[in-house]
Structures are given as C-alpha cells and as structure tokens.
Amino acid sequence: MYSDTRKLIVFSAPSGSGKTTIVRHLLEKTNLPLAFSVSATTRLPRGAEKDAEDYYFLSVSEFKRRIEKGDFIEWEEVYPGVYYGTLASEIERIWKSKKAVLFDIDVDGGLALKRQFREQTLTVFVRPPSVEALRQRLIDRQTDSTDQVEVRVAKAEAELKKASDFDQILINDVLENALKDAEHLVANFLNS
Ligand code: 5GP
C-alpha cells in the first residue's frame, strides 16, 4: 500500500503539549507502517522507562565519545548538562524493516532533521492551547519539581516562536481530534 517508507515523521512540541500521547497513539492504535526512533539521552530514567525502549540511557562521557565518533545525526544539550540525540543507526535499523521513522524530539532537533532529509521528512509542531494550559499539564503529570516545570515552561515559550518553521501545526486542545488529525497527516504523507 505504501510504496516508499524511507521517510521521517517528526513530532516536536514543548514538553507537556501531549506530543508523546499522540506519538504512542500512532504507533499502537493505527496500522500505519511506523517505528519509533529511540533517542539517546544522559538524563536518568523516569518512572517505568526502559533502556533501549524509551531511550538509550548513556553517561555523559559515553555520549560525548559517540558525538566524536560521528554516531549522531543530530544531538543537543536540551537542558543545561543534559544531552539528547538521534543515532544514525536508528534510522537505518527502522528503514531496513520497511517502516517510516517516527520521532518525538525537541524543536531544534526536528528542524535539524528536516534540513538533512528535506523531501523525505514531514515535520509536525504540536501546539498546546495556551502556555497556562501547558504549565497545568506539567504540574498534573507530577514527574517534575516546581523548578523543573518552570524550566520546561521557559523552553516552551521559546519553542512556540518556531512553530511556523514546521510543515504542519497541530493544535492539541481536544485530544480525540488531535489524534485523528495526526493520523490523517501521517497517512497523507506516506501516500505522497
Ligand atoms: P524528556 O526528558 O521529557 O523525555 O525530553 C525532553 C526533551 O528532549 C523533549 O522535548 C524531547 O522531545 C527532546 N528529545 C528527546 N529525544 C531527542 C533527540 O534525540 N534529539 C533532540 N534534539 N531532542 C530530543
């Protein structure tokens, strides 16, 4: 049905916008030929997160060694002292399985992928209805301290300014609608 799955689909958004829920829905509740790009990070696992499923959890020295080896397609110090990056081997692994690669990465990382794989990439910016709604979602999630919530909100405000650089903007107000919209955007891109 899909002739060419050597494609990248990037969902970026301020943390707390509901992007991870949308990405999980696409992977688990649709028949779209997608696989998740597992990023590397130096942050510690949260809750039930598993190594090699949610992230490859690396030490800072290992992460830096792999930067020097040229293993990353893109990487960033997303928060001071905390590194995140996409390994080139992830994309090859997923393309070999005849699936398109689905990313849940930050805004600058998403735009970096677009620059490298222009025609093959769909970038979607997931927008929360407001900054206040975003702050409330982060508080309700109870995974970050008050200080960390404010760090994430400050980063979100900077990221919202870059929404117009994306191919598509998806407003996540009513989740059910956002999930349907995401499915349509991805299916259309895979059929193009
Ligand atoms: P979290 O710590 O909440 O899992 O992720 C923090 C931020 O890092 C999120 O915005 C997430 O999308 C981003 N992120 C996750 N993986 C990558 C990656 O491989 N590259 C970049 N640039 N950002 C990433």
Side-chain angles (χ1 to χ4, degrees):
M1 182 179 166
Y2 301 102
S3 52
D4 179 12
T5 48
R6 288 177 70 85
K7 290 183 175 172
L8 309 182
I9 297 159
V10 177
F11 280 80
S12 294
S15 161
S17 305
K19 147 192 74 159
T20 305
T21 309
I22 293 172
V23 164
R24 286 221 182 101
H25 170 83
L26 291 170
L27 288 167
E28 291 164 13
K29 298 279 162 47
T30 73
N31 292 322
L32 295 163
L34 301 170
F36 182 64
S37 167
V38 179
S39 295
T41 182
T42 64
R43 81 149 163 78
L44 296 174
R46 260 199 316 247
E49 286 181 337
K50 288 206 186 74
D51 187 47
E53 269 180 41
D54 298 284
Y55 281 108
Y56 299 106
F57 294 100
L58 305 182
S59 65
V60 174
S61 58
E62 175 67 2
F63 198 102
K64 288 189 171 163
R65 194 183 66 77
R66 299 200 62 174
I67 293 174
E68 260 155 43
K69 259 180 82 198
D71 286 354
F72 289 105
I73 294 251
E74 64 77 36
W75 64 269
E76 278 187 66
E77 191 174 354
V78 172
Y79 302 108
V82 189
Y83 296 82
Y84 292 80
T86 304
L87 294 160
S89 54
E90 272 303 279
I91 296 180
E92 283 311 320
R93 173 180 76 79
I94 293 169
W95 279 350
K96 270 200 196 114
S97 71
K98 302 265 180 265
K99 290 185 172 169
V101 191
L102 188 61
F103 293 86
D104 171 347
I105 69 176
D106 92 329
V107 166
D108 289 333
L111 294 174
L113 288 173
K114 181 76 184 180
R115 282 194 294 276
Q116 291 181 62
F117 297 94
R118 273 215 159 285
E119 301 301 316
Q120 285 160 283
T121 306
L122 172 71
T123 52
V124 183
F125 187 95
V126 182
R127 236 189 65 189
S130 68
V131 171
E132 209 26 66
L134 181 104
R135 181 181 278 111
Q136 200 51 52
R137 281 183 200 172
L138 289 171
I139 293 168
D140 294 346
R141 194 163 82 174
Q142 296 187 336
T143 50
D144 295 296
S145 67
T146 315
D147 283 357
Q148 279 168 332
V149 166
E150 287 314 312
V151 169
R152 285 176 189 268
V153 169
K155 182 168 187 288
E157 285 178 325
E159 288 181 330
L160 283 166
K161 299 198 176 105
K162 297 184 185 162
S164 58
D165 295 340
F166 280 69
D167 296 323
Q168 299 284 345
I169 297 179
L170 186 69
I171 299 180
N172 184 11
D173 189 355
V174 178
L175 182 63
E176 287 306 302
N177 296 343
L179 298 179
K180 281 281 159 240
D181 291 348
E183 272 180 51
H184 290 137
L185 285 175
V186 173
N188 286 343
F189 178 66
L190 290 175
N191 276 318
S192 67

